[in-house]
Amino acid sequence: MTRRIWEDFITERDGKVFAAAGYGVRGTLPARPALLLVGFNRGNLAAIPSATAALAAVQPLVAAARAQGLPVIHATGATRADGWDRPQEDGRPAGADPLNDTDFAEALSPAPTDIVIRRQAPSAFFDSDLMSFLNLLGVDGLVVAGGASAGALRATVIDAFSLNLRVAIAEDACFDAWEASHAMALCDLHAKYADPLPAAELADWIATLPAAMFALPKGCADRRPDLMPGSRR
């Protein structure tokens, strides 16, 4: 079995506790999953070296989800242009151009059928429409990728678990500024809340699901007034 990244950080004692307590037992994958992408924005790609590798790993997973007609949901920041409402993001000061920092990575620009969630807090569920959209779609679980692993991703996964959603994590499509934080966040999530699995394995599993299970949005030009300070038109 492939060695997991957190095994370099846990002690022999911790390994025995995991084995004795039954932590890390493989859960049941969702029957009607959505793919949730957290924090794949320009600011993170510029500041966190491992984000680039995560971006490369997640793209085939996104392609598989879209090909199978699964909901693809992006969660990024909702920030004023002057940064007044976002003094820091996952422990890092806001950049000189907060709106550019929260723009999506070009390789993951939302498709017309995708859904965009803007968040002010680490969890994509906090004070957002995410759960109501999942209910509307009839989603019973999530595949989550992005970062930061110990920040927004972890907070989102725990909230999903608390809402009785089944969660899988594309572990090689996650990132954090600190390797130890990344590893131990995945370790904790693996132990209690979710199943970290390789992105390629999740893409292969998605390909086995029934096609076109969801009534996805069609997408059209947005003619609404710009009422969101964190948006860029």
Side-chain angles (χ1 to χ4, degrees):
M1 183 176 178
T2 304
R3 184 173 177 82
R4 314 304 287 270
I5 188 171
W6 55 82
E7 293 179 24
D8 292 333
F9 294 88
I10 62 174
T11 65
E12 182 179 353
R13 171 198 170 277
D14 290 341
K16 292 178 179 178
V17 170
F18 265 67
Y23 286 146
V25 175
R26 175 75 174 265
T28 302
L29 292 171
R32 292 175 57 86
L35 175 60
L36 178 60
L37 308 173
V38 180
F40 278 108
N41 51 52
R42 294 182 182 179
N44 284 335
L45 285 169
I48 302 176
S50 59
T52 302
L55 177 64
V58 82
Q59 288 178 63
L61 183 58
V62 174
R66 287 177 177 156
Q68 210 66 12
L70 300 189
V72 177
I73 304 173
H74 307 254
T76 189
T79 306
R80 287 173 54 95
D82 57 13
W84 172 83
D85 55 347
R86 182 56 62 89
Q88 60 180 15
E89 172 73 22
D90 290 336
R92 295 180 290 106
D97 184 354
L99 294 189
N100 186 62
D101 278 355
T102 56
D103 269 354
F104 296 105
E106 186 175 350
L108 288 184
S109 294
T113 56
D114 292 357
I115 297 167
V116 174
I117 300 294
R118 294 198 173 267
R119 60 183 179 87
Q120 284 277 4
S123 172
F125 286 93
F126 183 80
D127 236 7
S128 80
D129 295 323
L130 178 54
M131 193 64 222
S132 65
F133 289 157
L134 298 181
N135 287 335
L136 178 64
L137 290 161
V139 167
D140 70 341
L142 297 173
V143 176
V144 185
S149 306
L153 183 122
R154 184 178 186 277
T156 298
V157 169
I158 291 176
D159 275 358
F161 174 87
S162 300
L163 291 163
N164 290 322
L165 294 168
R166 296 170 178 170
V167 184
I169 301 170
E171 62 181 279
D172 50 337
C174 300
F175 57 85
D176 199 287
W178 295 278
E179 187 177 28
S181 295
H182 168 72
M184 293 315 298
L186 289 180
C187 178
D188 182 62
L189 294 172
H190 166 66
K192 294 172 282 188
Y193 305 115
D195 289 314
L197 298 166
E201 181 177 333
L202 288 168
D204 289 343
W205 162 68
I206 284 172
T208 70
L209 296 174
M213 288 190 288
F214 297 95
L216 298 178
K218 304 300 182 189
C220 65
D222 191 349
R223 300 180 179 87
R224 296 172 299 174
D226 187 359
L227 302 178
M228 168 63 78
S231 66
R232 181 187 292 275
R233 300 288 174 89

